[in-house]
Amino acid sequence: MSRKKNAKHNHGKNTRLVHAGRDPDAFFGLANLPVGRVSTIIYPSLEAYENPNHKFRYGRVGNPMSEAFELAMSELEGGYNAITASSGLAAITTAILAFVKTGDHVLICDAVYPPTRIFCDETLKRMGVEVEYYDPLIGKGIEKLIRKNTSLIYMESPGSGTFEVQDVPAIVAAAKKRGILTMLDNSWSGGLIFRPIEHGVNVAVQSVTKYVGGHSDISLGVAVADTEKTYKILKRGALHLGTCAAPDELWLALRGLRTMAVRMKQNAQNALKVAQWLEKRPEVAHVYYPALKGDPNHKLWKRDFSGANGLLSILLKEAPKKAVSQFVNGLELFPIGSSWGGYESLLQPQSLEKCRSANPWTEKGACLRLQIGLEDPEDLIADLERGFERFNKNR
Ligand SMILES: *Cc1c(COP(=O)(O)O)cnc(C)c1O
């Protein structure tokens, strides 16, 4: 796989999605790289083992599938190189552990993906790392929180559940002044509609399980490093922790990548329709979706993002539990599910009171996250409308 071949011209992102990580010449002209299931790589002699004529030593450390996907994601994100992991969370924890040490202070976005928060609160604190959460809308105010021992500023934009868009350039500028590493969970954008490395972020992490996979059938994560220096530290972290990904998942992720742009565009178009309809519903106190003109994050989103996706949340007006259950349980097209980024619509109740500390969550109504899939949006709206009828009957 030659990086040079892929980088011959400065192609647009849709072209990159189609071609990144492909090298048909290396495999008899096959358009797609065949899945290479591998642990063992064999050598015919001691000399060949000592001076191998191919670049892979052992499946976990690197193999044709991982290399292809890592190069593709690096190209998409505009980074140097990447590591892959068996899940988004494994990519995140590997990346954090590769860079932080006992005695460090780390600043973590308050709207971070809840399992990332649990990792920080339990594992990082157990290692003697000071964890501090900051308001996702802090912008350049982050400067005031930086201490002598701050080693990492971790962002997630838009934030989980409530989709606050962070002022990434302002936060990165403050970090750079003090030589602090920055990391950003870029799952929402799939690496496509927001490019944190272009804004100076050092490591872009992502749950590939979501939009890149796109079909609710894989578990995979990636962390892309901005430079060779960052990559070397990240890769050592992955080697120490045994972080790696299965070739079948990598293959499915490469397949997902080819159609991500069109899927996401449709998800976003459908979601905007549903969000605009939800905004007008009297049962809804707030719709969280940065692509909505009335969303408080709209301006920053417009400045930094080139598109949206199908993920939004609604805050229902305060109502008895029974009304919320009747709303949720009768929906035909929104099964309850913890993921997003797939072809189908899903609903997940949020427990934001458990995962906000810089900005404690005080809303009394139920907050529900909706993943808007590729169904006909009119059907989704009609399903939600019937849901509100049930909701109102039980209030
Ligand atoms: C789902 C998710 C993750 C974790 O990804 P997994 O592949 O499920 O481990 C990380 N960050 C965000 C924002 C997510 O939504």
Side-chain angles (χ1 to χ4, degrees):
M1 188 78 41
S2 72
R3 159 177 290 280
K4 249 199 252 123
K5 207 186 251 178
N6 287 331
K8 213 161 19 185
H9 302 291
N10 192 18
H11 289 129
K13 61 187 178 186
N14 293 310
T15 308
R16 284 201 297 269
L17 275 187
V18 169
H19 291 281
R22 292 180 56 202
D23 194 0
D25 291 349
F27 295 92
F28 313 102
L30 272 65
N32 295 300
L33 183 62
V35 185
R37 294 191 190 86
V38 55
S39 57
T40 309
I41 289 160
I42 53 174
Y43 302 84
S45 66
L46 182 61
E47 290 70 25
Y49 185 75
E50 286 167 351
N51 291 299
N53 62 2
H54 47 70
K55 53 190 158 183
F56 303 112
R57 179 64 99 187
Y58 184 53
R60 166 166 55 72
V61 176
N63 59 71
M65 268 335 293
S66 65
E67 185 190 55
F69 184 68
E70 287 161 6
L71 284 181
M73 290 309 294
S74 304
E75 213 177 309
L76 183 62
E77 294 260 18
Y80 172 77
N81 205 344
I83 61 135
T84 36
S86 59
S87 69
L89 188 61
I92 291 165
T93 55
T94 297
I96 293 176
L97 288 173
F99 291 94
V100 304
K101 62 180 188 310
T102 303
D104 282 356
H105 167 250
V106 297
L107 287 165
I108 310 282
C109 167
D110 202 33
V112 75
Y113 176 62
T116 304
R117 187 182 192 99
I118 295 167
F119 164 79
C120 292
D121 284 344
E122 297 183 9
T123 300
L124 283 190
K125 284 187 184 167
R126 179 159 47 78
M127 286 171 51
V129 174
E130 279 182 272
V131 176
E132 183 177 349
Y133 294 95
Y134 66 87
D135 178 346
L137 302 180
I138 199 165
K140 69 177 173 19
I142 194 93
E143 252 168 9
K144 292 199 191 75
L145 301 182
I146 293 175
R147 302 183 197 165
K148 263 209 187 87
N149 58 341
T150 305
S151 64
L152 168 71
I153 300 177
Y154 186 96
M155 295 164 266
E156 183 177 318
S157 185
S160 276
T162 39
F163 311 111
E164 295 89 345
V165 176
Q166 296 201 244
D167 192 343
V168 174
I171 292 174
V172 168
K176 285 221 185 295
K177 249 194 254 168
R178 307 281 290 266
I180 297 167
L181 186 94
T182 49
M183 233 176 248
L184 187 142
D185 185 328
N186 200 26
S187 306
W188 195 88
S189 106
L192 180 70
I193 53 181
F194 181 56
R195 304 185 81 213
I197 290 174
E198 273 179 6
H199 291 284
V201 170
N202 301 112
V203 183
V205 291
Q206 191 185 149
S207 169
V208 175
T209 309
K210 310 290 166 55
Y211 271 105
V212 177
H215 295 76
S216 313
D217 54 5
I218 64 168
S219 173
L220 190 68
V222 68
V224 183
D226 59 343
T227 61
E228 182 176 10
K229 187 171 158 232
T230 310
Y231 171 70
K232 278 189 171 157
I233 300 170
L234 183 64
K235 182 67 181 173
R236 286 227 70 76
L239 289 172
H240 293 181
L241 293 165
T243 300
C244 62
D248 289 279
E249 309 290 85
L250 291 161
W251 188 89
L252 286 164
L254 269 176
R255 165 176 277 203
L257 208 53
R258 308 300 176 211
T259 57
M260 179 167 68
V262 280
R263 284 187 282 109
M264 228 168 168
K265 216 177 270 174
Q266 192 63 47
N267 284 115
Q269 198 177 310
N270 293 0
L272 187 63
K273 268 193 195 153
V274 174
Q276 285 168 338
W277 180 81
L278 284 165
E279 231 182 357
K280 297 197 194 97
R281 291 299 307 195
E283 300 84 355
V284 175
H286 193 77
V287 181
Y288 303 85
Y289 189 56
L292 272 180
K293 281 214 176 71
D295 189 285
N297 297 284
H298 188 71
K299 230 171 105 185
L300 271 191
W301 170 78
K302 251 202 128 141
R303 187 191 71 183
D304 294 346
F305 286 72
S306 61
N309 67 18
L311 201 59
L312 59 95
S313 290
I314 53 172
L315 177 67
L316 293 176
K317 296 230 173 105
E318 204 178 340
K321 175 73 195 288
K322 190 170 170 223
V324 180
S325 316
Q326 292 294 316
F327 172 75
V328 171
N329 295 347
L331 293 172
E332 287 173 17
L333 301 175
F334 291 89
I336 300 174
S338 284
S339 197
W340 50 276
Y343 52 86
E344 84 286 40
S345 291
L346 290 172
L347 177 149
Q348 190 202 35
Q350 303 292 292
S351 306
L352 297 167
E353 65 290 346
K354 289 188 198 146
C355 49
R356 294 288 188 272
S357 56
N359 288 330
W361 184 258
T362 54
E363 299 292 352
K364 296 280 190 296
C367 185
L368 306 172
R369 189 183 72 190
L370 304 178
Q371 142 78 13
I372 305 300
L374 302 174
E375 301 91 342
D376 293 307
E378 298 73 25
D379 292 337
L380 299 176
I381 288 172
D383 196 26
L384 292 167
E385 189 160 29
R386 289 187 292 267
F388 286 130
E389 280 168 26
R390 292 188 298 275
F391 181 78
N392 288 330
K393 266 193 208 139
N394 289 281
R395 275 167 99 177

